[in-house]
């Protein structure tokens, strides 16, 4: 399989790259277009596989999608939405988690929907119970079948009051996409308030929705009978930006990330500084660099916004292997996001994972069988190795480790990284990395 990147590591990454729109917003805004009765235009769209998957799913449902790759503009015309054939949808089973968000919009447009088995990264159990409970509370009939979920709303969808057990990003989006056209008022407590969700609310407001976000994680939506299309420019991808920042740190390099935006990255920037990285906020991006000398160890806990994002954790851990002393990282969003550390240990890193909640507050995974805390002792030089990409962010972390390690590493399964990192091979070349596809 030609999916192996051979990396000649140990060379600091230097140069400039650009990040475009956020993967975890763009895909949701594409789904939102289904709710409109006129076409939408989405700009700053990155060319990543998740966008392709959602495009194909929308097309199966009769949405006309035109993409200008160069400009990063998508035109989405939902005027002829129709039910897709189960066999066609089934071909997309396992490719992404986004299909679950088609439920509300399709119920409003067609009264029924069929959702294939979901995919996405294997970083925990990733259940969909919150999503299904929400849909049922709006009055939908949900049947879990072998190949997916059949869902109907013969009597329409009615506004409701929901309290999430945990501020789930996907469940909050599910609720928003369902409530905006439901009959009456919906109130969500303990909502997720990630910047990508707030940008989705911007889109829905442009479409005609009435949504207010209170300071205490409460979101209120007044349902409206119709929505129109939108024109919107996506917020930048703060996960990709932070991934390149961690690559600069781990390789002792200097990377300017055009498009990176400070306000959504405040928490990351604080940690980057505490670890010993330097940055400069520019008008149109952020420059990140390693100033020389030793990096400093840190105690860190991942959390929902405005905490330190779980998706920032894996790339940063690679840099922490080069920090002097003991770093403690407590992962509180996913129960199983340290699997990628095995490969780093094989490359010479000193990382121990624990079931206990270390270095922070007790979380819902404490006293259970989940290895969700890590202690990283450094600095330990990384050695080249043959490694296999486990998931999207873990995969990028492996890539960073291979770039930091002196000698030749083979990183297999590199295609997974295309799900969320636009043109990453071109960007690596622009930063002076030495590699070739096998
Ligand atoms: N959860 C449940 N039941 C549910 C839904 C979630 O128990 O019905 C749990 C999950 O198992 C997890 C926690 O709640 O432990 C948080 O999950 P959340 O629903 O917030 O995550 P998501 O919507 O599935 C999105 C991003 C992830 C990102 C998380 C957290 C997309 C497509 N994915 O996932 O991004 O890590 O929010 O910010 O938006 C990535 O980009 O690599 C990625 C995994």
């Amino acid at each position: 399989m030609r999916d192996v990147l051979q990396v000649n590591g140990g060379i600091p990454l230097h140069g400039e790259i650009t990040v475009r729109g956020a993967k975890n917003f763009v895909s949701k805004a594409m789904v939102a277009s289904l709710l409109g009765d006129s076409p939408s235009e989405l700009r700053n769209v990155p060319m990543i596989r998740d966008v392709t998957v959602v495009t194909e799913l929308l097309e199966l449902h009769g949405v006309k999608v035109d993409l200008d790759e160069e400009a990063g503009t998508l035109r989405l015309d939902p005027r002829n939405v129709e039910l897709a054939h189960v066999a066609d949808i089934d071909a997309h089973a396992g490719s992404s988690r986004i299909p679950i968000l088609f439920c509300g919009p399709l119920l409003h447009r067609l009264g029924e929907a069929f959702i294939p088995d979901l995919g996405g990264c294997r970083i925990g159990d990733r259940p969909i119970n919150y999503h299904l409970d929400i849909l049922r509370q709006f009055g939908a009939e949900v049947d879990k079948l072998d190949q997916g979920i059949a869902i109907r709303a013969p009597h329409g969808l009615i506004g409701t009051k929901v309290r999430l057990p945990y501020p789930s990003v996907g469940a909050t989006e599910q609720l928003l996409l369902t409530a905006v056209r439901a009959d009456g008022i919906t109130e969500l407590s303990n909502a997720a308030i990630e910047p990508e969700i707030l940008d989705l609310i911007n889109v829905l407001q442009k479409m005609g929705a009435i949504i207010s976000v209170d300071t205490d994680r409460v979101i209120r939506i007044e349902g409206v009978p119709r929505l129109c299309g939108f024109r919107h420019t996506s917020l930048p991808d703060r996960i990709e930006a932070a991934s390149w920042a961690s690559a600069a740190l781990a390789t002792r390099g200097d990377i300017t990330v055009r498009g990176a935006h400070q306000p959504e990255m405040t928490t990351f920037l604080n940690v980057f500084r505490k670890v010993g990285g330097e940055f400069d906020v520019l008008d149109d991006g952020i420059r990140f660099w390693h100033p020389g000398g030793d990096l400093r160890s840190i105690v860190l806990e991942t959390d929902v916004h405005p905490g330190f994002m779980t998706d920032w954790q894996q790339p940063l851990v690679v840099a922490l292997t080069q920090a002097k002393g003991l770093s403690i990282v407590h992962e509180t969003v996913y129960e199983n996001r340290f699997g990628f550390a095995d490969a780093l240990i094989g490359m010479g890193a000193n990382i121990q994972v624990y079931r206990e909640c270390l270095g922070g507050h007790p979380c819902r995974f404490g006293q259970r069988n989940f290895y969700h805390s890590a202690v990283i002792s450094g600095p330990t030089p990384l050695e080249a190795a043959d490694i296999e990409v486990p998931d999207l962010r873990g995969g990028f972390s492996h890539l960073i480790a291979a770039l930091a390690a002196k000698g030749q590493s083979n990183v297999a399964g590199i295609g997974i990284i295309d799900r969320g990192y636009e043109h990453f091979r071109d960007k690596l070349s622009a930063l002076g990395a030495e590699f070739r596809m096998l």
Side-chain angles (χ1 to χ4, degrees):
M1 187 167 68
R2 288 180 62 81
D3 200 17
V4 178
L5 199 76
Q6 187 170 79
V7 178
N8 185 22
I11 302 166
L13 297 182
H14 272 272
E16 231 183 87
I17 48 126
T18 299
V19 297
R20 293 208 276 190
K23 157 183 158 305
N24 291 347
F25 162 77
V26 164
S27 44
K28 325 293 172 62
M30 291 172 73
V31 177
S33 74
L34 273 171
L35 286 161
D37 58 13
S38 54
S40 291
E41 188 178 290
L42 187 59
R43 295 181 288 249
N44 204 24
V45 174
M47 295 306 113
I48 51 175
R49 221 180 42 252
D50 269 22
V51 168
T52 312
V53 169
V54 181
T55 298
E56 287 170 5
L57 278 165
L58 286 170
E59 284 173 340
L60 285 179
H61 289 93
V63 179
K64 192 167 172 304
V65 186
D66 291 309
L67 168 66
D68 179 339
E69 281 200 24
E70 187 72 18
T73 303
L74 269 176
R75 251 184 84 78
L76 306 134
D77 185 345
R79 281 175 295 189
N80 296 315
V81 166
E82 60 190 11
L83 270 185
H85 296 292
V86 171
D88 292 340
I89 303 184
D90 211 32
H92 287 76
S95 53
S96 157
R97 297 188 65 72
I98 310 296
I100 189 78
L101 297 178
F102 277 61
C103 290
L106 287 179
L107 287 179
H108 284 303
R109 293 297 302 268
L110 305 169
E112 58 181 307
F114 178 78
I115 306 301
D117 258 356
L118 301 180
C121 292
R122 301 256 46 102
I123 48 185
D125 216 18
R126 306 194 80 182
I128 52 168
N129 52 331
Y130 303 165
H131 294 254
L132 302 187
D133 286 350
I134 285 172
L135 290 162
R136 288 191 182 107
Q137 270 190 256
F138 276 99
E141 293 171 3
V142 181
D143 279 323
K144 277 185 91 172
L145 309 173
D146 281 350
Q147 328 91 297
I149 300 157
I151 180 156
R152 287 174 356 108
H155 311 298
L157 296 166
I158 320 278
T160 180
K161 233 175 166 170
V162 177
R163 181 174 176 85
L164 283 176
Y166 182 81
S168 150
V169 168
T172 301
E173 293 161 340
Q174 180 75 263
L175 181 127
L176 285 167
L177 292 166
T178 308
V180 280
R181 275 189 55 183
D183 190 15
I185 295 178
T186 297
E187 184 182 281
L188 175 64
S189 316
N190 208 22
I193 47 160
E194 267 61 10
E196 292 75 15
I197 291 178
L198 300 184
D199 213 21
L200 181 64
I201 291 175
N202 292 337
V203 161
L204 293 168
Q205 188 178 52
K206 286 179 177 179
M207 297 177 82
I210 302 172
I211 305 173
S212 63
V213 183
D214 294 352
T215 44
D216 50 355
R217 291 193 180 276
V218 173
I219 300 183
R220 282 193 186 79
I221 302 115
E222 285 181 42
V224 293
R226 65 166 286 265
L227 295 169
C228 60
F230 62 84
R231 277 210 315 276
H232 190 77
T233 300
S234 166
L235 84 169
D237 197 312
R238 63 196 174 118
I239 308 177
E240 186 186 354
S243 300
W244 289 113
S246 294
L249 215 48
T251 65
R252 304 180 81 82
D254 186 336
I255 302 180
T256 297
V257 184
R258 300 273 171 219
H261 196 216
Q262 181 186 18
E264 293 87 40
M265 295 188 70
T266 315
T267 308
F268 178 82
L269 293 173
N270 285 336
V271 168
F272 194 81
R273 178 168 279 158
K274 284 204 244 180
V275 169
E278 303 241 355
F279 63 88
D280 188 13
V281 179
L282 313 170
D283 284 346
D284 64 344
I286 305 177
R287 176 183 162 213
F288 299 93
W289 73 96
H290 188 306
D294 281 330
L295 295 178
R296 295 186 284 273
S297 54
I298 194 170
V299 178
L300 182 68
E301 188 166 82
T302 65
D303 207 345
V304 293
H305 190 75
F308 189 90
M309 283 188 95
T310 170
D311 305 288
W312 289 332
Q313 178 261 106
Q314 290 157 302
L316 188 78
V317 162
V318 183
L320 291 180
T321 67
Q322 304 310 304
K324 193 169 179 190
L326 287 184
S327 294
I328 298 176
V329 180
H330 181 205
E331 170 61 59
T332 76
V333 180
Y334 291 111
E335 68 275 26
N336 185 18
R337 215 169 192 180
F338 281 121
F340 76 105
D342 289 346
L344 302 185
I345 294 165
M347 295 173 81
N350 189 339
I351 304 177
Q352 297 257 21
V353 288
Y354 295 90
R355 292 193 187 97
E356 289 76 11
C357 300
L358 296 184
H361 309 91
C363 78
R364 63 210 159 105
F365 306 135
Q367 308 300 323
R368 295 167 69 190
N369 258 340
F370 303 124
Y371 286 87
H372 69 293
S373 293
V375 176
I376 303 133
S377 168
T380 47
L382 294 176
E383 293 151 20
D386 289 352
I387 46 185
E388 171 109 28
V389 164
D391 59 72
L392 178 59
R393 309 297 168 194
F396 197 82
S397 309
H398 285 183
L399 187 57
I400 297 176
L403 291 159
K406 279 210 174 68
Q408 203 169 75
S409 293
N410 291 315
V411 189
I414 203 81
I416 293 179
I417 297 178
D418 290 310
R419 265 195 57 212
Y421 292 87
E422 182 181 40
H423 303 320
F424 75 90
R425 298 169 195 77
D426 296 343
K427 292 179 185 176
L428 286 176
S429 299
L431 296 172
E434 287 184 13
F435 65 92
R436 66 184 180 111
M437 287 299 293
L438 290 189

